[in-house]
Amino acid sequence: MVSFITINYNAANITLQCIESIHRWLKASDYEIIVVDNNSQAADLQHLADALPNGCRLIRSRQNTGFGGANMLGANFANGNYLCFINNDVVLTEDCVTPLVDYLANHADTGCITPQQYDGEGNFVRSFNHENSILTKTVPKGLLERWFPHRYPSRKKLYDKPFAAHNINGAFMLFPTETFWQCGGFDLNLFLYSEEYDVAMRLKRIGKHCVVDPTYRFTHLQGSSARKAKSITRRESYISGMYCYQKYHSNWLFPIYKLIILLRLIPHVHDWYVIPAIICGNTLSRSMRHGKG
């Protein structure tokens, strides 16, 4: 059985649309749906509770714990052999879950898998990313993909068979339940962004890797508008990225990494507001988790 875990935050109608697409494409006996409400406004929460289909479990968090915290809360109530963490703005357009479960069952070295992502207009959207390193921050990723295609596969290419990637997109992540808990799940220090990178690094430590299966697809309605993120969430992406870099690399490399980030910001005046978050000693102290708007 697959346990779907999705997060609602003041978007009940979108969440319900996601759930409806799951019901449309999967057999009811093969899955359960757990919705974690991340402290939405009362009206949105009530609408969700009233409209939620029978059999779905609604769990309310009394505070917004971010992506990782809410998903970990939902995972603790899951009964499935597989955990599918799916954004509430995802719409299934086929049964892309059953074949991916079969893939995981037959590939013990795969710790997490995702289908190919498309946006709401049917446009191809990259479904994986490369490592977060000094190299990838100093050399354009397009050049790395051209020079070292085995280590850095092209993110713009549509592949015709499953392939390993450093880390896959966080909108749709399917794990064997045992593997998810073995690697430690999501890091609760991360409020938003970099969760997929962090979990990929810990999967690697237990001998597992991430896979994209491009022969199946799903629609991520916000995929085409990711660049429109508000300033506070953009700053959060820097904070999370630096936290993860420091977590997995030598301490003496971290000042070099921060300097490179600052140098990359120089031409982008509109992003200078993130500089205090980069240069401060404890980056997580300026996270949205602490109400730092």
Side-chain angles (χ1 to χ4, degrees), residues 110-284:
T110 301
C112 185
I113 192 169
T114 190
Q116 176 59 52
Q117 180 179 186
Y118 291 82
D119 67 20
E121 286 72 49
N123 300 310
F124 171 93
V125 178
R126 67 173 178 81
S127 293
F128 67 97
N129 211 338
H130 304 311
E131 64 198 39
N132 179 22
S133 67
I134 289 176
L135 180 62
T136 57
K137 293 300 183 185
T138 53
V139 179
K141 291 181 180 178
L143 291 180
L144 292 174
E145 292 170 355
R146 185 183 307 171
W147 294 340
F148 311 105
H150 294 293
R151 181 171 180 177
Y152 302 101
S154 173
R155 296 170 302 155
K156 297 180 180 180
K157 177 182 176 181
L158 180 58
Y159 297 86
D160 58 5
K161 60 182 179 180
F163 62 95
H166 187 279
N167 59 95
I168 60 179
N169 74 78
F172 189 122
M173 305 179 75
L174 179 65
F175 298 81
T177 300
E178 182 178 356
T179 299
F180 178 77
W181 291 115
Q182 184 183 359
C183 79
F186 296 112
D187 186 337
L188 299 182
N189 287 315
L190 291 168
F191 185 81
L192 191 64
Y193 298 116
S194 294
E195 297 91 355
E196 56 268 60
Y197 175 82
D198 177 73
V199 79
M201 294 295 286
R202 283 182 286 111
L203 284 172
K204 186 177 180 180
R205 287 180 172 179
I206 62 171
K208 309 281 187 178
H209 60 254
C210 300
V211 165
V212 178
D213 189 340
T215 59
Y216 297 95
R217 62 189 292 169
F218 72 97
T219 296
H220 186 198
L221 298 179
Q222 293 298 318
S224 60
S225 60
R227 292 187 296 271
K228 300 177 182 178
K230 295 180 180 179
S231 61
I232 186 173
T233 57
R234 182 161 176 78
R235 186 182 68 182
E236 192 73 14
S237 70
Y238 281 92
I239 291 172
S240 297
M242 290 189 300
Y243 167 78
C244 284
Y245 184 86
Q246 190 173 26
K247 181 177 177 180
Y248 294 107
H249 297 84
S250 301
N251 288 335
W252 68 269
L253 288 173
F254 186 53
I256 300 173
Y257 179 83
K258 288 209 298 184
L259 178 61
I260 291 170
I261 296 297
L262 289 169
L263 292 175
R264 284 166 57 97
L265 278 172
I266 291 176
H268 306 287
V269 178
H270 59 284
D271 283 343
W272 283 5
Y273 65 89
V274 306
I275 290 177
I278 294 174
I279 63 176
C280 73
N282 182 4
T283 57
L284 288 181

